[in-house]
Every structure is written in structure tokens, then in C-alpha cells.
Amino acid sequence: MSKKAVVKEKTVKTLETLFQEMKKNHLRMTGPRKMIIEALFENHGPFTAEEIHKKFIRSSCDLATIYRCLVSLEQAGLVRKCEFGDGFARYELANNDQSHHHHHLICTECKKVEIVEECEIESHIDRFAKKRGFTSVSHMLEFFGICPDCQAA
Amino acid sequence: MSKKAVVKEKTVKTLETLFQEMKKNHLRMTGPRKMIIEALFENHGPFTAEEIHKKFIRSSCDLATIYRCLVSLEQAGLVRKCEFGDGFARYELANNDQSHHHHHLICTECKKVEIVEECEIESHIDRFAKKRGFTSVSHMLEFFGICPDCQAA
DNA sequence: TAGCTAAATGCGAATGATTTGTATTAGCTG
DNA sequence: CAGCTAATACAAATCATTCGCATTTAGCTA
């Protein structure tokens, strides 16, 4: 009972922290934005804009608004965009501290996403997927950054 | 001189091998397909369909044909599709043997792609990018496979 | 080598996720 | 509470990619 209370308290605090971060970034606290943050806070995604729109937004809200909210929330660092190469951008809460770094394990058939917390040797990386009973396992590893030429320009 | 000849001979052989693989997969040897294979063989990509169309295809050829060729070449295992999450699919020659496994290092500004041959500990993985003078380094690591539920179905 | 047939292409239109223009609405600051 | 803007709704545009269909052609066969 006390354990549950602690968990709940921690949960509420973290959601408030997210809202404070919104204010810190000069983002107005609008209905759609709050609903998006709450949805991503309470459900582990990542989710496409359309999934967020259909599953989590109760009061009517335009899909274009969802897209614009996600852009501003991403720019503010509250939300992270994930690209799995299937034509849909997905979004999840961005946990800024490195302790929450994680990868994804996506079923190529049903598109289900599992969180992968482990982080070990790259050459053995597929075993995380196989350990979970996945077959036809492969992984995508791509680097991003600003190249020396562009830094100079 | 003899060195150069050897290199050239090897080059020709490998390109011929690719053409043989096309035939083995019951793909007709059409102009667009040959040009795409040659382009990817002579230039290290990966390239978008539009880049291939504009840069490498001399004789007139419809962009839709490029897309269709890339699909059939991918199905035949000759070409690999890469997704960097910027809204463009890119293609490169698929080297089936594991010895040619590599990753990519993409400049987020000019979209230049560098090949990353190293394959070490995941937690130190960003150092490959930093070692090349890139800043704002991040990486994308996603897993793909068929989940137990879908295997059963 | 001519002819056959399915596969491949060209061209135009469609698709679908995402973006954008613009008038209207509604946070926030004083 | 007024006023200034940012944010929203709605509709239309964008843009990579796909598709339909008529025409062409690669590769096989006689």
C-alpha cells in the first residue's frame, strides 16, 4: 500500500516536471499538448502521430495540430522522434538522462515495439532479439552528426 | 601496370558476377537495371532513387522504372535498402558475405554518407563518429525480426 | 532469324504521411 | 480584464513512392 503510494507520487511528480519543462521552453500549456504528454507518459510507445490522435486524444483535435505539437515538443526536447524505416515517424518521451537510454525491438510483421534496455557488445547485439524469441533478426545502426565541412561552413 | 590490370580484372569479374546473379534470379537484363547495378558498383552510396536517376542514368528512363527496378533488385538480394529517417529510402549494393558488414555515418546537414567499417562495443559506438571530426553525434540502433506471436500465427 | 509471350517500361494519375496557409481562438503577461 | 501572439481548425498543398494500363522488349523457341 505504502509502496503503491510512493510509486503514484513519483509518477505525478514526473508528469509535473514535464509540464514545467514545457513552460521553461516557452510553450503554452494547451489542451492538445497536455494530452500528448500525458499519453506518452502513461503509455510506452513510441507511437505515430495518427496513433496518438486516434487512441489518446479524447476531445476533438485536428491531426495537423498533433503534428505541430510533436514538432514543438521535440524542439523543446520533451519528445523524441524515432524512425524505423517503415514510412511512419514515431514519438516517445525523451528522457534526457543517459540512464534511460534504450533501443527498440520492432516486429516487422505486426509492428509491435519492445523496449531493449541492454546495451552490450555490438557484434553480439542480435542476441537480445533472439533471446526474446524473435526470428529473422537484423538490426539497423546509423550514425548522425555534423561533419567537419559543415562545421567550418 | 600489372597491378592496375589485376584491379581492373577483378572489377570486371565482380560486375559480371552481379549480372550473373540477376540472371540466376530470373531478372531480365534491361538497360535501366544494368545502369543501376553499374552505378552502385562504381560509386559508393547509398543513393536515393532520385539521385540514381539524375546522376547515373544517361539514356532517358522514367523515375517510376528506377523505383520498380530497385524493388526487384532488392527482392533478388542484389541491392539493400537503407533508411536514415529523413524521408528518403537509399540503396546500395548488397554484399552478401558478412565480411562486408558496415554501418553509415550521415551528416545531418549535407546528408553526406561515410562508410563505418568498425564494429565494436555499443557503449563506445559514438567514438567512431567523433574520431572523424563529427559533432552533435548520435546514433540510431533499431532491431527487426519476427516476434513469437507472429511466428505462431 | 522471325515470332511469341510474359516481363518491363513509360506515362500519367493516385496514394498517403506530413506540411503549410490563413482566419479564428485562446494562453499568458501586465 | 485587455491585448498581444502563439496555437488551433480546416482545407489545400507537398512530395516520395506506388499503381494502372497501354506499349515495348528480353529471352526463348521453331
Side-chain angles (χ1 to χ4, degrees), chain B residues 32 35-36 39-40 47-67 69-70 91:
Chain B
M35 282 189 284
I36 289 171
L40 296 183
F47 302 104
T48 66
E50 199 148 3
E51 283 171 342
I52 293 171
H53 186 234
K54 283 188 182 160
K55 295 182 188 170
F56 305 122
I57 305 297
R58 297 291 168 217
S59 59
S60 110
C61 166
D62 197 79
L63 179 57
T65 298
I66 303 292
Y67 277 105
C69 287
L70 289 170
Y91 296 86

Side-chain angles (χ1 to χ4, degrees), chain A residues 28 30 32-33 61-62 65 68:
Chain A
R28 291 181 181 176
T30 66
R33 285 177 181 166
C61 166
D62 197 79
T65 298
R68 272 191 269 231

Side-chain angles (χ1 to χ4, degrees), chain B residues 85 93 138:
Chain B
L93 280 189
S138 64

Side-chain angles (χ1 to χ4, degrees), chain B residues 17-63:
Chain B
T17 300
L18 290 168
F19 289 153
Q20 283 168 15
E21 279 183 49
M22 277 179 65
K23 288 177 188 166
K24 223 180 291 174
N25 284 279
H26 312 294
L27 292 184
R28 291 182 180 175
M29 293 288 292
T30 67
R33 285 177 181 167
K34 278 193 281 190
M35 282 189 284
I36 289 171
I37 290 294
E38 283 169 8
L40 296 183
F41 181 75
E42 289 162 7
N43 306 275
H44 68 65
F47 302 104
T48 66
E50 199 148 3
E51 283 171 342
I52 293 171
H53 186 234
K54 283 188 182 160
K55 295 182 188 170
F56 305 122
I57 305 297
R58 297 291 168 217
S59 59
S60 110
C61 166
D62 197 79
L63 179 57

Side-chain angles (χ1 to χ4, degrees), chain A:
Chain A
M1 189 178 172
S2 70
K3 208 173 181 180
K4 197 173 180 180
V6 168
V7 169
K8 191 175 178 184
E9 190 191 11
K10 187 190 170 198
T11 296
V12 171
K13 263 196 206 159
T14 311
L15 189 54
E16 279 169 5
T17 300
L18 290 168
F19 289 153
Q20 283 169 16
E21 277 183 51
M22 278 180 64
K23 288 177 189 166
K24 223 182 289 174
N25 283 279
H26 312 294
L27 293 184
R28 291 181 181 176
M29 293 288 293
T30 66
R33 285 177 181 166
K34 279 193 280 189
M35 281 189 285
I36 290 171
I37 290 294
E38 282 169 8
L40 296 183
F41 182 74
E42 289 162 9
N43 306 275
H44 69 65
F47 302 105
T48 66
E50 200 147 3
E51 284 171 340
I52 293 171
H53 186 233
K54 283 186 183 161
K55 295 182 189 170
F56 304 122
I57 305 297
R58 296 291 168 215
S59 59
S60 111
C61 166
D62 197 79
L63 180 57
T65 298
I66 303 293
Y67 277 106
R68 272 191 269 231
C69 286
L70 288 169
V71 168
S72 50
L73 290 172
E74 190 193 9
Q75 286 171 343
L78 281 153
V79 154
R80 187 197 344 266
K81 188 187 203 172
C82 311
E83 305 265 3
F84 297 160
D86 65 349
F88 300 85
R90 286 175 178 76
Y91 297 86
E92 63 186 355
L93 280 189
N95 294 295
N96 290 329
D97 49 42
Q98 294 295 353
S99 64
H100 287 86
H101 172 73
H102 66 266
H103 302 300
H104 296 114
L105 174 57
I106 305 111
C107 175
T108 50
E109 302 209 353
C110 70
K111 308 294 177 190
K112 186 175 63 187
V113 178
E114 293 192 15
I115 306 298
V116 178
E117 299 283 2
E118 303 94 331
C119 215
E120 294 187 20
I121 295 174
E122 177 359 72
S123 60
H124 296 144
I125 213 155
D126 280 350
R127 77 182 179 84
F128 300 132
K130 288 171 186 156
K131 206 160 57 175
R132 287 162 193 248
F134 279 63
T135 56
S136 305
V137 172
S138 63
H139 66 268
M140 174 169 64
L141 175 56
E142 307 292 353
F143 298 92
F144 299 92
I146 300 172
C147 73
D149 293 347
C150 287
Q151 289 171 47

